[in-house]
Amino acid sequence: MFRHMLLSGSAIALAALVTPAALAQTEASTTLPPVAVTAPPVGSLTVPSVGKQRELVLQTAGSVEWIDMETLKGTYTNNLRDVLKDVPGVYAQTRYGQEMRLSMRGSGIARAFHGRGIEILQDGIPFNMADGSFDFYQIDPLALRSAEVYKGGNALPFGGSTLGGAVNFVSPTAHTAVAPNVLRFDAGSFGTWRANAQVSRVLGDFDFMINGTVSHADGFRNHSRQQYEQFNANIGYRITPDIETRFYFGVYITDQKLPGTLSLRQALINPTQASAGAVAGDQARNVRTERIANRTTVRLENGQLDFDTWFMHKNLYHPIFQVIDQDGYTYGFAPRYTVAGEIGGMRDELILGGRLFGGDNRALQFINIGGSRGQQTQNQRQNVWSLQGYAENRLWVLPELAAVVGAKMFYTDMDYTNFGKLPPFSTVYQNNTQKYSGFNPKAGLLWEPKKDIQAFINVTGSQDVPDFSDLTQPQFNGSTSFVPLQAQKAWTLEVGTRGRYDRFAWDVTLYRSWVDGQMLQYTTNPNVPAATFNAGRTNLMGVELGASVDVAHDMATTGDKLTLAQLWNYSNFRFSNDPQYGNNRIAGIPEHVLRTSLTYRHPSGFYISPAIDLVPIGAWVDYANTQQVPAYMLVGLQAGMDFPNGVSIFMDARNLSNNRYISDFGTVTRYSAVGTQTFYPGDGRAIYVGTRASF
């Protein structure tokens, strides 16, 4: 398959050669004969400059965010929460290691493991498995140049149509890297150390970037040791001034011990302990993933064509309530056409795209005997393929006002086969097929009254298709039952504004989603993954606010600055006249999440930034709304120095008051103080230090 993907990428590039290259300009001299001079290509066609990346994101008529990873170089970015914690509308909470809950606007609100409801991309190419699920382990924060967050239907330019939206993690190339060579080392609490190295070069028409990270931590809790090795690389070749191809390579090795979940009392009184079941079963999540992808870009006289091809192989050995042993692959092909022109004298921008997405997964299960395979209990095959097409058009009806319309159509076929095993597990051969299709429209307005100030309003339709973890639900006797869930459908209205004026910057969005068949989960047993069900109608309403102000400058010296920043996520998620839960709040996410920071920067490169994370009202644990987790406040401090020679040092201190709190949990239908063991305690006081050299 790797050979097939390489040949496919090469064939695309060769086919594109029929496009006429740009003609070289000639320059005449009065004393010398004419000499043809061809200007060398500047930058990359496949990956725009960092400034262009930001510009493209902020042209979206909706709630989006662009993150320059250079702004996070003075933090210990171990997982995606460290990357996304300051983005309005993103709820990211760590469970242990790099495992976390990631939700936007209620997507995967009750997902107690892995992720669903958000499209994860790397360099614009899908990173999700074929069924839509995703893991966090494959994204290395130290191998990123920027991150782009598209909330809700604003992910349509990438083909996204889920309730949550999409996050695109952009790798550096030799053209966008901060330096040709980067070395970094971090160390700190809980036996943590991490080393990273990056090398990039431009060699004529070739360029390459290689990035490798080795990370280890013993973990705050017992039985939570993590060991990661992550390798990323990309190689670009400028075939002609108008054609470029770029190959991406990734190898991701994860060995993560699992501490398990605790009761609420256990988590607050002795948060470092592991659950008895996790220790007895030597529970772990060991993953081996390889990825190869290609983007070939052809610049036309009128527009640009991008051809994306990808293949990802994943092997999972996961002893939990049973030993889950899976081996699968995901593949896809996605053409995309973008063009900017005029219609009736009005500026117009069009995006057309499509995807062919597929995958196959062999899913075996065994009795867990101390982390090793016992008797086999399941033998399953999970196949999925999807065909998608999308379009978005932005027409500037006035110089400062754009009308945006778009839509996505899709068809997904999910096929599940259980080949059967000995009693008492599964005795009957089962084959089930579930098909999903839909049409998701979008319409909106983007108003730019002046540079750096925007306002927007849009309405989008979305559909979330269940993944195989939703469709294949474990039973108490160890067997698996196929549950034919319906797709989650929603309409979302959002209105907001973002910009900068004088000393002030803001990004605020109000949204409301009317959801039918929202996929929610409840935990039936602390060692068994949660069961998924379709709720009736639910209403999700919220506010996503980020703001900052330069409160003072030129204090100790000319050029220094003091900046106050505030994040506020308000989430009012409720059932709507549900027969069982009435208008109760949906469990899983707190109503208010606030983060306040005060940063002082000196022109010499010194900075210091205390921060407070506040959850004033804990989230509901159960849908019956009988129990909430306690409120909490965490105090942190970052400080560092950026030297002129490219060397940086930093200190990142977290939870300085050593508070005990609940970081995350699995939702239940009704809380029981004795039976509910679904809680993940947050980490205690931690201090990390690091240094980076760029040269």
PDB file of all heavy atoms in Angstrom, residues 456-486:
ATOM      1  N   PHE A 456     -19.451  38.966  12.111  1.00  0.00           N
ATOM      2  CA  PHE A 456     -19.969  37.895  11.266  1.00  0.00           C
ATOM      3  C   PHE A 456     -21.240  37.310  11.862  1.00  0.00           C
ATOM      4  O   PHE A 456     -21.513  37.420  13.058  1.00  0.00           O
ATOM      5  CB  PHE A 456     -18.922  36.789  11.098  1.00  0.00           C
ATOM      6  CG  PHE A 456     -18.369  36.258  12.403  1.00  0.00           C
ATOM      7  CD1 PHE A 456     -19.025  35.258  13.117  1.00  0.00           C
ATOM      8  CD2 PHE A 456     -17.187  36.776  12.921  1.00  0.00           C
ATOM      9  CE1 PHE A 456     -18.520  34.794  14.314  1.00  0.00           C
ATOM     10  CE2 PHE A 456     -16.669  36.301  14.119  1.00  0.00           C
ATOM     11  CZ  PHE A 456     -17.347  35.303  14.825  1.00  0.00           C
ATOM     12  N   ILE A 457     -22.005  36.689  11.003  1.00  0.00           N
ATOM     13  CA  ILE A 457     -23.189  35.923  11.398  1.00  0.00           C
ATOM     14  C   ILE A 457     -23.343  34.808  10.387  1.00  0.00           C
ATOM     15  O   ILE A 457     -23.125  35.009   9.190  1.00  0.00           O
ATOM     16  CB  ILE A 457     -24.459  36.807  11.463  1.00  0.00           C
ATOM     17  CG1 ILE A 457     -25.665  35.971  11.921  1.00  0.00           C
ATOM     18  CG2 ILE A 457     -24.741  37.473  10.130  1.00  0.00           C
ATOM     19  CD1 ILE A 457     -26.904  36.818  12.197  1.00  0.00           C
ATOM     20  N   ASN A 458     -23.672  33.601  10.858  1.00  0.00           N
ATOM     21  CA  ASN A 458     -23.922  32.517   9.918  1.00  0.00           C
ATOM     22  C   ASN A 458     -24.818  31.457  10.530  1.00  0.00           C
ATOM     23  O   ASN A 458     -24.961  31.356  11.753  1.00  0.00           O
ATOM     24  CB  ASN A 458     -22.614  31.907   9.386  1.00  0.00           C
ATOM     25  CG  ASN A 458     -21.809  31.186  10.431  1.00  0.00           C
ATOM     26  OD1 ASN A 458     -22.284  30.230  11.034  1.00  0.00           O
ATOM     27  ND2 ASN A 458     -20.570  31.636  10.647  1.00  0.00           N
ATOM     28  N   VAL A 459     -25.413  30.667   9.647  1.00  0.00           N
ATOM     29  CA  VAL A 459     -26.242  29.526  10.022  1.00  0.00           C
ATOM     30  C   VAL A 459     -25.699  28.315   9.281  1.00  0.00           C
ATOM     31  O   VAL A 459     -25.467  28.378   8.066  1.00  0.00           O
ATOM     32  CB  VAL A 459     -27.720  29.736   9.651  1.00  0.00           C
ATOM     33  CG1 VAL A 459     -28.544  28.507  10.025  1.00  0.00           C
ATOM     34  CG2 VAL A 459     -28.278  30.973  10.342  1.00  0.00           C
ATOM     35  N   THR A 460     -25.475  27.211  10.009  1.00  0.00           N
ATOM     36  CA  THR A 460     -24.930  26.019   9.371  1.00  0.00           C
ATOM     37  C   THR A 460     -25.684  24.777   9.828  1.00  0.00           C
ATOM     38  O   THR A 460     -26.169  24.701  10.963  1.00  0.00           O
ATOM     39  CB  THR A 460     -23.434  25.822   9.713  1.00  0.00           C
ATOM     40  OG1 THR A 460     -23.291  25.713  11.132  1.00  0.00           O
ATOM     41  CG2 THR A 460     -22.607  26.981   9.218  1.00  0.00           C
ATOM     42  N   GLY A 461     -25.759  23.820   8.936  1.00  0.00           N
ATOM     43  CA  GLY A 461     -26.262  22.501   9.280  1.00  0.00           C
ATOM     44  C   GLY A 461     -25.095  21.552   9.480  1.00  0.00           C
ATOM     45  O   GLY A 461     -24.052  21.694   8.847  1.00  0.00           O
ATOM     46  N   SER A 462     -25.244  20.581  10.373  1.00  0.00           N
ATOM     47  CA  SER A 462     -24.169  19.627  10.633  1.00  0.00           C
ATOM     48  C   SER A 462     -24.745  18.244  10.870  1.00  0.00           C
ATOM     49  O   SER A 462     -25.908  18.092  11.251  1.00  0.00           O
ATOM     50  CB  SER A 462     -23.333  20.056  11.851  1.00  0.00           C
ATOM     51  OG  SER A 462     -24.099  20.006  13.037  1.00  0.00           O
ATOM     52  N   GLN A 463     -23.911  17.236  10.626  1.00  0.00           N
ATOM     53  CA  GLN A 463     -24.258  15.857  10.944  1.00  0.00           C
ATOM     54  C   GLN A 463     -23.017  15.152  11.476  1.00  0.00           C
ATOM     55  O   GLN A 463     -21.943  15.254  10.890  1.00  0.00           O
ATOM     56  CB  GLN A 463     -24.784  15.111   9.716  1.00  0.00           C
ATOM     57  CG  GLN A 463     -26.176  15.540   9.291  1.00  0.00           C
ATOM     58  CD  GLN A 463     -26.776  14.595   8.275  1.00  0.00           C
ATOM     59  OE1 GLN A 463     -26.922  13.413   8.541  1.00  0.00           O
ATOM     60  NE2 GLN A 463     -27.127  15.113   7.110  1.00  0.00           N
ATOM     61  N   ASP A 464     -23.182  14.448  12.589  1.00  0.00           N
ATOM     62  CA  ASP A 464     -22.118  13.636  13.172  1.00  0.00           C
ATOM     63  C   ASP A 464     -22.508  12.174  13.037  1.00  0.00           C
ATOM     64  O   ASP A 464     -23.573  11.761  13.500  1.00  0.00           O
ATOM     65  CB  ASP A 464     -21.923  13.980  14.653  1.00  0.00           C
ATOM     66  CG  ASP A 464     -21.267  15.325  14.858  1.00  0.00           C
ATOM     67  OD1 ASP A 464     -21.734  16.296  14.247  1.00  0.00           O
ATOM     68  OD2 ASP A 464     -20.309  15.410  15.642  1.00  0.00           O
ATOM     69  N   VAL A 465     -21.635  11.400  12.404  1.00  0.00           N
ATOM     70  CA  VAL A 465     -21.873   9.973  12.220  1.00  0.00           C
ATOM     71  C   VAL A 465     -21.215   9.216  13.360  1.00  0.00           C
ATOM     72  O   VAL A 465     -20.066   9.506  13.714  1.00  0.00           O
ATOM     73  CB  VAL A 465     -21.318   9.512  10.860  1.00  0.00           C
ATOM     74  CG1 VAL A 465     -21.409   8.006  10.714  1.00  0.00           C
ATOM     75  CG2 VAL A 465     -22.074  10.205   9.731  1.00  0.00           C
ATOM     76  N   PRO A 466     -21.881   8.240  13.986  1.00  0.00           N
ATOM     77  CA  PRO A 466     -21.235   7.469  15.054  1.00  0.00           C
ATOM     78  C   PRO A 466     -20.047   6.685  14.538  1.00  0.00           C
ATOM     79  O   PRO A 466     -20.008   6.266  13.377  1.00  0.00           O
ATOM     80  CB  PRO A 466     -22.352   6.529  15.536  1.00  0.00           C
ATOM     81  CG  PRO A 466     -23.323   6.458  14.410  1.00  0.00           C
ATOM     82  CD  PRO A 466     -23.262   7.790  13.724  1.00  0.00           C
ATOM     83  N   ASP A 467     -19.035   6.502  15.406  1.00  0.00           N
ATOM     84  CA  ASP A 467     -17.900   5.666  15.030  1.00  0.00           C
ATOM     85  C   ASP A 467     -18.145   4.248  15.535  1.00  0.00           C
ATOM     86  O   ASP A 467     -19.177   3.942  16.145  1.00  0.00           O
ATOM     87  CB  ASP A 467     -16.588   6.253  15.547  1.00  0.00           C
ATOM     88  CG  ASP A 467     -16.536   6.347  17.067  1.00  0.00           C
ATOM     89  OD1 ASP A 467     -17.255   5.590  17.749  1.00  0.00           O
ATOM     90  OD2 ASP A 467     -15.760   7.173  17.586  1.00  0.00           O
ATOM     91  N   PHE A 468     -17.196   3.349  15.301  1.00  0.00           N
ATOM     92  CA  PHE A 468     -17.406   1.953  15.670  1.00  0.00           C
ATOM     93  C   PHE A 468     -17.425   1.754  17.186  1.00  0.00           C
ATOM     94  O   PHE A 468     -18.027   0.791  17.671  1.00  0.00           O
ATOM     95  CB  PHE A 468     -16.344   1.066  15.024  1.00  0.00           C
ATOM     96  CG  PHE A 468     -16.673   0.694  13.603  1.00  0.00           C
ATOM     97  CD1 PHE A 468     -15.917   1.172  12.554  1.00  0.00           C
ATOM     98  CD2 PHE A 468     -17.765  -0.116  13.321  1.00  0.00           C
ATOM     99  CE1 PHE A 468     -16.226   0.844  11.238  1.00  0.00           C
ATOM    100  CE2 PHE A 468     -18.093  -0.451  12.017  1.00  0.00           C
ATOM    101  CZ  PHE A 468     -17.320   0.027  10.967  1.00  0.00           C
ATOM    102  N   SER A 469     -16.799   2.629  17.939  1.00  0.00           N
ATOM    103  CA  SER A 469     -16.894   2.532  19.394  1.00  0.00           C
ATOM    104  C   SER A 469     -18.311   2.812  19.868  1.00  0.00           C
ATOM    105  O   SER A 469     -18.744   2.295  20.906  1.00  0.00           O
ATOM    106  CB  SER A 469     -15.915   3.500  20.063  1.00  0.00           C
ATOM    107  OG  SER A 469     -14.583   3.127  19.810  1.00  0.00           O
ATOM    108  N   ASP A 470     -19.040   3.647  19.131  1.00  0.00           N
ATOM    109  CA  ASP A 470     -20.440   3.910  19.450  1.00  0.00           C
ATOM    110  C   ASP A 470     -21.337   2.756  19.020  1.00  0.00           C
ATOM    111  O   ASP A 470     -22.271   2.369  19.730  1.00  0.00           O
ATOM    112  CB  ASP A 470     -20.910   5.193  18.754  1.00  0.00           C
ATOM    113  CG  ASP A 470     -20.150   6.426  19.195  1.00  0.00           C
ATOM    114  OD1 ASP A 470     -19.945   6.583  20.410  1.00  0.00           O
ATOM    115  OD2 ASP A 470     -19.765   7.225  18.328  1.00  0.00           O
ATOM    116  N   LEU A 471     -21.063   2.216  17.844  1.00  0.00           N
ATOM    117  CA  LEU A 471     -21.946   1.208  17.257  1.00  0.00           C
ATOM    118  C   LEU A 471     -21.758  -0.170  17.871  1.00  0.00           C
ATOM    119  O   LEU A 471     -22.696  -0.975  17.887  1.00  0.00           O
ATOM    120  CB  LEU A 471     -21.705   1.133  15.748  1.00  0.00           C
ATOM    121  CG  LEU A 471     -22.077   2.385  14.939  1.00  0.00           C
ATOM    122  CD1 LEU A 471     -21.602   2.238  13.501  1.00  0.00           C
ATOM    123  CD2 LEU A 471     -23.580   2.633  14.984  1.00  0.00           C
ATOM    124  N   THR A 472     -20.552  -0.490  18.339  1.00  0.00           N
ATOM    125  CA  THR A 472     -20.279  -1.810  18.916  1.00  0.00           C
ATOM    126  C   THR A 472     -20.086  -1.652  20.414  1.00  0.00           C
ATOM    127  O   THR A 472     -19.019  -1.251  20.871  1.00  0.00           O
ATOM    128  CB  THR A 472     -19.035  -2.449  18.269  1.00  0.00           C
ATOM    129  OG1 THR A 472     -17.910  -1.579  18.443  1.00  0.00           O
ATOM    130  CG2 THR A 472     -19.260  -2.640  16.779  1.00  0.00           C
ATOM    131  N   GLN A 473     -21.097  -1.996  21.177  1.00  0.00           N
ATOM    132  CA  GLN A 473     -21.097  -1.717  22.609  1.00  0.00           C
ATOM    133  C   GLN A 473     -20.913  -2.994  23.408  1.00  0.00           C
ATOM    134  O   GLN A 473     -21.598  -3.998  23.178  1.00  0.00           O
ATOM    135  CB  GLN A 473     -22.398  -1.013  22.994  1.00  0.00           C
ATOM    136  CG  GLN A 473     -22.587   0.302  22.246  1.00  0.00           C
ATOM    137  CD  GLN A 473     -23.786   1.098  22.713  1.00  0.00           C
ATOM    138  OE1 GLN A 473     -24.383   0.803  23.739  1.00  0.00           O
ATOM    139  NE2 GLN A 473     -24.139   2.134  21.947  1.00  0.00           N
ATOM    140  N   PRO A 474     -19.963  -2.995  24.367  1.00  0.00           N
ATOM    141  CA  PRO A 474     -19.676  -4.196  25.162  1.00  0.00           C
ATOM    142  C   PRO A 474     -20.827  -4.539  26.105  1.00  0.00           C
ATOM    143  O   PRO A 474     -21.502  -3.653  26.632  1.00  0.00           O
ATOM    144  CB  PRO A 474     -18.414  -3.819  25.929  1.00  0.00           C
ATOM    145  CG  PRO A 474     -18.445  -2.331  25.999  1.00  0.00           C
ATOM    146  CD  PRO A 474     -19.104  -1.864  24.737  1.00  0.00           C
ATOM    147  N   GLN A 475     -21.027  -5.836  26.311  1.00  0.00           N
ATOM    148  CA  GLN A 475     -22.049  -6.334  27.219  1.00  0.00           C
ATOM    149  C   GLN A 475     -21.380  -6.877  28.485  1.00  0.00           C
ATOM    150  O   GLN A 475     -20.174  -7.135  28.526  1.00  0.00           O
ATOM    151  CB  GLN A 475     -22.867  -7.432  26.538  1.00  0.00           C
ATOM    152  CG  GLN A 475     -23.478  -7.000  25.207  1.00  0.00           C
ATOM    153  CD  GLN A 475     -24.405  -5.806  25.343  1.00  0.00           C
ATOM    154  OE1 GLN A 475     -25.387  -5.858  26.085  1.00  0.00           O
ATOM    155  NE2 GLN A 475     -24.109  -4.735  24.627  1.00  0.00           N
ATOM    156  N   PHE A 476     -22.181  -7.095  29.517  1.00  0.00           N
ATOM    157  CA  PHE A 476     -21.624  -7.527  30.790  1.00  0.00           C
ATOM    158  C   PHE A 476     -21.023  -8.929  30.719  1.00  0.00           C
ATOM    159  O   PHE A 476     -20.138  -9.273  31.491  1.00  0.00           O
ATOM    160  CB  PHE A 476     -22.709  -7.488  31.875  1.00  0.00           C
ATOM    161  CG  PHE A 476     -23.050  -6.093  32.318  1.00  0.00           C
ATOM    162  CD1 PHE A 476     -24.231  -5.487  31.921  1.00  0.00           C
ATOM    163  CD2 PHE A 476     -22.177  -5.379  33.125  1.00  0.00           C
ATOM    164  CE1 PHE A 476     -24.532  -4.203  32.329  1.00  0.00           C
ATOM    165  CE2 PHE A 476     -22.476  -4.092  33.540  1.00  0.00           C
ATOM    166  CZ  PHE A 476     -23.662  -3.502  33.137  1.00  0.00           C
ATOM    167  N   ASN A 477     -21.482  -9.761  29.798  1.00  0.00           N
ATOM    168  CA  ASN A 477     -20.927 -11.108  29.693  1.00  0.00           C
ATOM    169  C   ASN A 477     -19.671 -11.171  28.830  1.00  0.00           C
ATOM    170  O   ASN A 477     -19.150 -12.238  28.541  1.00  0.00           O
ATOM    171  CB  ASN A 477     -21.976 -12.078  29.153  1.00  0.00           C
ATOM    172  CG  ASN A 477     -22.338 -11.778  27.700  1.00  0.00           C
ATOM    173  OD1 ASN A 477     -21.935 -10.763  27.144  1.00  0.00           O
ATOM    174  ND2 ASN A 477     -23.115 -12.673  27.108  1.00  0.00           N
ATOM    175  N   GLY A 478     -19.171 -10.007  28.378  1.00  0.00           N
ATOM    176  CA  GLY A 478     -17.954  -9.961  27.591  1.00  0.00           C
ATOM    177  C   GLY A 478     -18.180  -9.944  26.102  1.00  0.00           C
ATOM    178  O   GLY A 478     -17.235  -9.755  25.335  1.00  0.00           O
ATOM    179  N   SER A 479     -19.418 -10.134  25.648  1.00  0.00           N
ATOM    180  CA  SER A 479     -19.712 -10.097  24.220  1.00  0.00           C
ATOM    181  C   SER A 479     -19.919  -8.652  23.769  1.00  0.00           C
ATOM    182  O   SER A 479     -19.883  -7.719  24.571  1.00  0.00           O
ATOM    183  CB  SER A 479     -20.949 -10.939  23.905  1.00  0.00           C
ATOM    184  OG  SER A 479     -22.101 -10.370  24.514  1.00  0.00           O
ATOM    185  N   THR A 480     -20.139  -8.493  22.489  1.00  0.00           N
ATOM    186  CA  THR A 480     -20.350  -7.166  21.919  1.00  0.00           C
ATOM    187  C   THR A 480     -21.664  -7.145  21.155  1.00  0.00           C
ATOM    188  O   THR A 480     -21.989  -8.085  20.425  1.00  0.00           O
ATOM    189  CB  THR A 480     -19.198  -6.793  20.971  1.00  0.00           C
ATOM    190  OG1 THR A 480     -17.988  -6.737  21.721  1.00  0.00           O
ATOM    191  CG2 THR A 480     -19.437  -5.443  20.326  1.00  0.00           C
ATOM    192  N   SER A 481     -22.410  -6.085  21.320  1.00  0.00           N
ATOM    193  CA  SER A 481     -23.681  -5.932  20.626  1.00  0.00           C
ATOM    194  C   SER A 481     -23.598  -4.751  19.669  1.00  0.00           C
ATOM    195  O   SER A 481     -23.068  -3.689  20.021  1.00  0.00           O
ATOM    196  CB  SER A 481     -24.809  -5.712  21.640  1.00  0.00           C
ATOM    197  OG  SER A 481     -26.043  -5.477  20.975  1.00  0.00           O
ATOM    198  N   PHE A 482     -24.096  -4.925  18.447  1.00  0.00           N
ATOM    199  CA  PHE A 482     -24.140  -3.840  17.473  1.00  0.00           C
ATOM    200  C   PHE A 482     -25.410  -3.032  17.701  1.00  0.00           C
ATOM    201  O   PHE A 482     -26.526  -3.568  17.683  1.00  0.00           O
ATOM    202  CB  PHE A 482     -24.130  -4.405  16.052  1.00  0.00           C
ATOM    203  CG  PHE A 482     -24.045  -3.339  14.984  1.00  0.00           C
ATOM    204  CD1 PHE A 482     -22.820  -2.871  14.544  1.00  0.00           C
ATOM    205  CD2 PHE A 482     -25.199  -2.800  14.424  1.00  0.00           C
ATOM    206  CE1 PHE A 482     -22.734  -1.897  13.574  1.00  0.00           C
ATOM    207  CE2 PHE A 482     -25.123  -1.817  13.452  1.00  0.00           C
ATOM    208  CZ  PHE A 482     -23.888  -1.366  13.028  1.00  0.00           C
ATOM    209  N   VAL A 483     -25.256  -1.740  17.924  1.00  0.00           N
ATOM    210  CA  VAL A 483     -26.389  -0.854  18.198  1.00  0.00           C
ATOM    211  C   VAL A 483     -26.506   0.133  17.043  1.00  0.00           C
ATOM    212  O   VAL A 483     -25.634   0.993  16.865  1.00  0.00           O
ATOM    213  CB  VAL A 483     -26.191  -0.101  19.533  1.00  0.00           C
ATOM    214  CG1 VAL A 483     -27.375   0.820  19.796  1.00  0.00           C
ATOM    215  CG2 VAL A 483     -26.006  -1.083  20.676  1.00  0.00           C
ATOM    216  N   PRO A 484     -27.546   0.052  16.225  1.00  0.00           N
ATOM    217  CA  PRO A 484     -27.673   0.913  15.037  1.00  0.00           C
ATOM    218  C   PRO A 484     -28.112   2.330  15.391  1.00  0.00           C
ATOM    219  O   PRO A 484     -29.287   2.699  15.291  1.00  0.00           O
ATOM    220  CB  PRO A 484     -28.738   0.185  14.210  1.00  0.00           C
ATOM    221  CG  PRO A 484     -29.576  -0.524  15.221  1.00  0.00           C
ATOM    222  CD  PRO A 484     -28.656  -0.920  16.344  1.00  0.00           C
ATOM    223  N   LEU A 485     -27.174   3.150  15.787  1.00  0.00           N
ATOM    224  CA  LEU A 485     -27.473   4.527  16.164  1.00  0.00           C
ATOM    225  C   LEU A 485     -27.741   5.383  14.932  1.00  0.00           C
ATOM    226  O   LEU A 485     -27.232   5.113  13.841  1.00  0.00           O
ATOM    227  CB  LEU A 485     -26.298   5.121  16.939  1.00  0.00           C
ATOM    228  CG  LEU A 485     -25.935   4.444  18.259  1.00  0.00           C
ATOM    229  CD1 LEU A 485     -24.620   4.992  18.784  1.00  0.00           C
ATOM    230  CD2 LEU A 485     -27.043   4.639  19.287  1.00  0.00           C
ATOM    231  N   GLN A 486     -28.521   6.425  15.119  1.00  0.00           N
ATOM    232  CA  GLN A 486     -28.754   7.381  14.045  1.00  0.00           C
ATOM    233  C   GLN A 486     -27.695   8.469  14.078  1.00  0.00           C
ATOM    234  O   GLN A 486     -26.983   8.647  15.069  1.00  0.00           O
ATOM    235  CB  GLN A 486     -30.146   8.001  14.179  1.00  0.00           C
ATOM    236  CG  GLN A 486     -30.300   8.921  15.377  1.00  0.00           C
ATOM    237  CD  GLN A 486     -31.718   9.409  15.583  1.00  0.00           C
ATOM    238  OE1 GLN A 486     -32.633   8.643  15.811  1.00  0.00           O
ATOM    239  NE2 GLN A 486     -31.900  10.726  15.499  1.00  0.00           N
TER     240      GLN A 486
END
